[in-house]
Amino acid sequence: MSWKITSTSLQPEQLAVEESLYALANGYLGVRGNFEEGYQKNLPTIRGTYINAYHDIVDISYGEKFIGYPETQQKIVNIMDAQTIELFITSGGIEEKFSLFEGEVLSYDRHLHLDKGYTERNIHWRSPNGKELRLTFERIVSFERKELFAIRVTITPVNFTGKVKIRSAVNGDVLNYVNENDPRVGNHREPLLFTVSTKSEDGLTYVLNRTKRSNLETACVTDYIFSTGERHDVVQEKQVLTVVTMDLTTTVTFEKRNVYVDTLRHGDHIVAVGKEIQQTIHELTFKQLLTEQQTYLNQFWKTADIKIYGDEEIQVGIRFNLYQLLQSAGRDPYSFIAAKGLSGEGYEGHYFWDTEIYMLPLFIMTKPEIARGLLLYRYSKLEQAKVRAKEMGHRKGALYPWRTISGTECSPYYPGGSAQYHISADIAYSFIQYYLATSDEEFLHEYAAEVLFETARLWIETGHFRDGKFRIDCVTGPDEYTALVNNNYYTNVMAKYNLMWAAKVYKDLANKNKAQFDQLVGRLQLLEREVMEWGHAAANMYLPYDERLDINPQDDTFLQKAIWDFEGTPREHYPLLLHYHPLTLYRYQVCKQADTVLAHFLLEDEQSFSTIKNSYNYYEKITTHDSSLSSCIFSIMAAKIGDSEKAYQYFRETVRMDLDNIQGNTKDGLHLANMGGAWLAIVFGFAGLRIKESGLYLSPILPKAWSGYECTLQYKGRLLHINITKQSLSIQNIGPTVDLFIYNKPYTISNNQTIEIEK
Amino acid sequence: MSWKITSTSLQPEQLAVEESLYALANGYLGVRGNFEEGYQKNLPTIRGTYINAYHDIVDISYGEKFIGYPETQQKIVNIMDAQTIELFITSGGIEEKFSLFEGEVLSYDRHLHLDKGYTERNIHWRSPNGKELRLTFERIVSFERKELFAIRVTITPVNFTGKVKIRSAVNGDVLNYVNENDPRVGNHREPLLFTVSTKSEDGLTYVLNRTKRSNLETACVTDYIFSTGERHDVVQEKQVLTVVTMDLTTTVTFEKRNVYVDTLRHGDHIVAVGKEIQQTIHELTFKQLLTEQQTYLNQFWKTADIKIYGDEEIQVGIRFNLYQLLQSAGRDPYSFIAAKGLSGEGYEGHYFWDTEIYMLPLFIMTKPEIARGLLLYRYSKLEQAKVRAKEMGHRKGALYPWRTISGTECSPYYPGGSAQYHISADIAYSFIQYYLATSDEEFLHEYAAEVLFETARLWIETGHFRDGKFRIDCVTGPDEYTALVNNNYYTNVMAKYNLMWAAKVYKDLANKNKAQFDQLVGRLQLLEREVMEWGHAAANMYLPYDERLDINPQDDTFLQKAIWDFEGTPREHYPLLLHYHPLTLYRYQVCKQADTVLAHFLLEDEQSFSTIKNSYNYYEKITTHDSSLSSCIFSIMAAKIGDSEKAYQYFRETVRMDLDNIQGNTKDGLHLANMGGAWLAIVFGFAGLRIKESGLYLSPILPKAWSGYECTLQYKGRLLHINITKQSLSIQNIGPTVDLFIYNKPYTISNNQTIEIEK
């Protein structure tokens, strides 16, 4: 049970939600959990298949356009639909089409196997004509063979014999989902891609599509394996139908193996490549594919699993989240982790800062090779970030885009988009965190250094000194219910860290690798004077502080605004952004999400504990958590200030946000950042992990509801296994001797040693 | 000379500018000064005819859309083109088409007669074949017959005899002008109207067009009067051509009289109405039409003229401005004064706050009946302003739209649009100014009261008390290089005045007309408590003040920002809005236009003279005057603080801005607000006029360059004639005895008395 998500619901709204929950992906390819046989007509659905970073380009329309506005944006493309498998049974001369919305469903269950990496649907169905059928649909999107999406259908006649006709389609005539009234979903109605060719040859079929403006091609090459029967391919302009007819006297199986290839990764002759891949797997049984999948997942869970004792719902929730993160993370230089992973089209497949701040820590601490790859994606977009800085009027530096796929700014709404300059500091922060957790000095010098230098330059360009303090005006912080403010605490403190580390790495590189240093400094035309400015700005960074309240104000004028009328706001007016004009929201003290509180999590040594605690208490009262990036941070910080009840309450909202559709929009895709946040809430929240220059810190607490929990962390080449029970805390080290801080006291653990601390 | 604008240029770019300069209008109908015979191919041109407030509705596209964003906007429609008159001369069997861009132009001049209200073009032309022709084109858009646009062509053969063929068109196939890269011009490419029918009957032709979404119809009914000749009408789907052939042995004339009618003003059967109007004028000669026009203008200039002694260029400049304002002001409840009047499509024919603050004073002080009509337009849009306030999340009050035609918000960019809440205070201010200048108590009680009450309500909804002060957060002031700020000085001080007057008028109405009071208060469900809040908020309005500099900061954080790098900004980067992203502009102390300085003009008694003077000096250094609303205000305030040199310098930029195309975009239409500003700069600047509750104030100064100037003002039923010379100031009063302040000293002038003050 704790490795499985199960559903028996056929409620229309829940089905759309389950399309996201049962989505399968592997970082490259993602397929939503639609029913192969389709729904009833007019049932709400978003039928989708996506390749990470596979996008088209669309114009951005502006009622009023200004200089520096992006003219186009990338958009993830819903590609060829290979999910469709329709079943027709014939018995006594009568043909009936299988549908869960006709006849009688005698039993129905659906599962996502988190340990094995596949989904299944089991159905016992009685047709309107009384014919009973048992059906199992199994699906896999392979971690080992990233192009493969396979479906196996097992069909058993219960009370009749006859024939089954299977009508399987790969359809190139697909559209993206639109919702004009929700700014979180796309609103572009034109088709983004068209079908170039369709064919059936060598026992395979394929559909080749091309995007309209980005000129990227993708092909779906399909192979069929089934019990004895007759097959017939119907090649149409935009789709290929494969019709298979089998005798149905006993159990028969039907496998549909789709290989998705694209010109971003597979060269120009993608159909040929797709066929080759099909060849290599043709001899493998479905069972073998499942075994491969399980082997991959065993490896993953060995280092990533979190065990929770005493709460089954949470246990399965956290595993679900980790599994989805694993499914979503790009594994090549083209791709990153989209806000919705590969589970839906919300936020149009764009990458945001969420990846760095909410998702990357999991990979850094459990699968650092994936983290490294993700950071390389950002490194590869550095040139575009430098161009963007110029577009925004800066003479130098790198301004990373608020939302993007291929590297250019895709945000049409700058007060909540481009103005979030903190994204550049967030990226810098993640490079530093990776270094602190891995000691990967080669990466630091080869990649991180350049990112740090160029982002540091941006801050010098953006801020200015006044009365001896370095100030940053007119930016938007993480909280999207406040915009275009001066000295957003989060932005300033993150910029400070960015500047400080840029100066530090500059010196480090100069000392350790003069040739590489000279080469980089020469290429960037970096002056010693600039590095001095970084240090000077960092040392004198203005961080707003209110003495009376002993809190950090979110920005210079935040505390002067009126507090939002929470009492006069009906429950159905949340999330506020769907009911109040931005101008109205900006006018009040009301936060969509953690902002200063997030800064206190990421850089806790910048303020005293009392300021952190007071700030938490202050902002908690005015934060709506309308963003899915919020509850997890409040959970972590509640744990930090010792309010374990609150920490647990926020954690619960976090960990099951999508499983319970708490935000109401899971149908548009999963909230990946929130999922990463659930992991953060356990590891950084309850277990109190912090990765600092001075070392690794743990301060575990145990939520009342649990009898214990366990997690594993990779740290500088070691595997640290942490086990917390009501009585004690034990840490096992597999790897070289490690120094670390537990409850702020230093400990040393040698290889294979376990230390145990009584509570 | 001083009553005439003259040009002899045929430069392509100047021709496009002259289309605006030579535009004729009467507040209802406007026709740009295009050449009847057309230009060379590919010459830049905006061929346009407009009816004030005649608009279509278009969708506003947003890359990212939020709640409360307007979904559609109105857009002035370029209507049927009746300007075209092509001439073909035939002599010796050779037909040649008249064009200023072929053959030889032996002489060419063009005039706008400001005293007589018509334009003429005189041409002496030699055809490629050596035939010489003298031509005069005269045009009139009648002030007395608002529907009428007439053209007379006088044709004289110089060195040949033969025939002239005239091909005159009324074309319904017209489009609006677009420029996607200039936010000040429209970017909607679809046709806004289509031709319903075309016909020739009863000697008249007509073209009937209908807009696509607003379903407004307009017809152009045309009559022709000409010397002996043959006429032939060609009725096509979207246009009517009238071909007239005449012998050309001596001077012949050809008149084209177009009557434009629309369903906003002329009922449903507009073609019939248009025909009737044609009948009433058919017997009138062109000369009689010109005489009518001159009579109307004589009347206007009698009260509105400003005489400048010693500077001919300025003299003609100011008269040109006043003439254009007269041409632009709407005279019915549907129409107002657009940013470009009826001279072009810039800002899409929208009405802004400019009308109240920059243009209305001229009408209040010289033609109060036009001012009254304009205020009634705003009154008629009060209900829509109340709806808009609700859309923006307020429980009550009226929020006037930033830009509109028919009353709904048309701004797609709220930080520079809807966020300019001050527009509601500006409208309130203009109602008060009208009352103070006219003592029109009936209007005050019947119309102004309601506007004042509803706008006062808005401020209570928008602001809040903190530390005993009433504060207004997150609005944008007049300066568009700063947005979304707290406590914009201009907004707060104007809101204060609005609130104070709302409370005052409430009491006044209660005292003077209890029945009307009860009715209004009942209808608005206005509570005594609300009125107390108005007074309390006004009395405790927070007005930012910086003690060190003794200035009013533009907003709470303005002075903390870095000052824009003016030295590092190349000249060609102005106007900055076309070269820097708004976010970049908002980050610095840099003003597009007068903001605090404007507040000091409108409400000078709110601050000490030293604060006003220091503020002027401070803001002058950081203001680019990229807006045409700026120089005039700096001129007025320079005069106020005694810097008459600077006052004159700014005034010169103002008064000839369009005549000299100083902003470079006169082709898109005239800068009407700036034109009103030129009048303000003389009357409120040099003559020092202020209209206050305590009375009328004058403090004239004489610019060095002039030997004297004269102006006339209407004030509470009197005509005050002011004459300033190097030696003295004289004021003549025609009307009841008047008390007024001259150089802040009280004087009394009885009827027909002239007082003279030696300087």
Side-chain angles (χ1 to χ4, degrees), chain B residues 306-322:
Chain B
I306 291 195
K307 289 195 177 66
I308 308 279
Y309 300 105
D311 193 327
E312 196 60 23
E313 272 204 331
I314 297 285
Q315 173 68 79
V316 75
I318 185 66
R319 283 186 179 143
F320 174 72
N321 292 349
L322 298 179

Side-chain angles (χ1 to χ4, degrees), chain A residues 55-59 75-78 172-178 187-195 209-214 238:
Chain A
H55 66 275
D56 199 20
I57 296 165
V58 300
D59 283 328
K75 194 168 164 41
I76 192 111
V77 177
N78 183 15
D173 190 17
V174 281
L175 282 173
N176 277 62
Y177 175 73
V178 295
N187 59 9
H188 186 86
R189 291 194 175 277
E190 300 294 306
L192 299 176
L193 76 179
F194 59 96
T195 304
N209 269 14
R210 188 187 299 147
T211 55
K212 292 224 161 157
R213 283 175 67 177
S214 62
K238 294 181 176 179

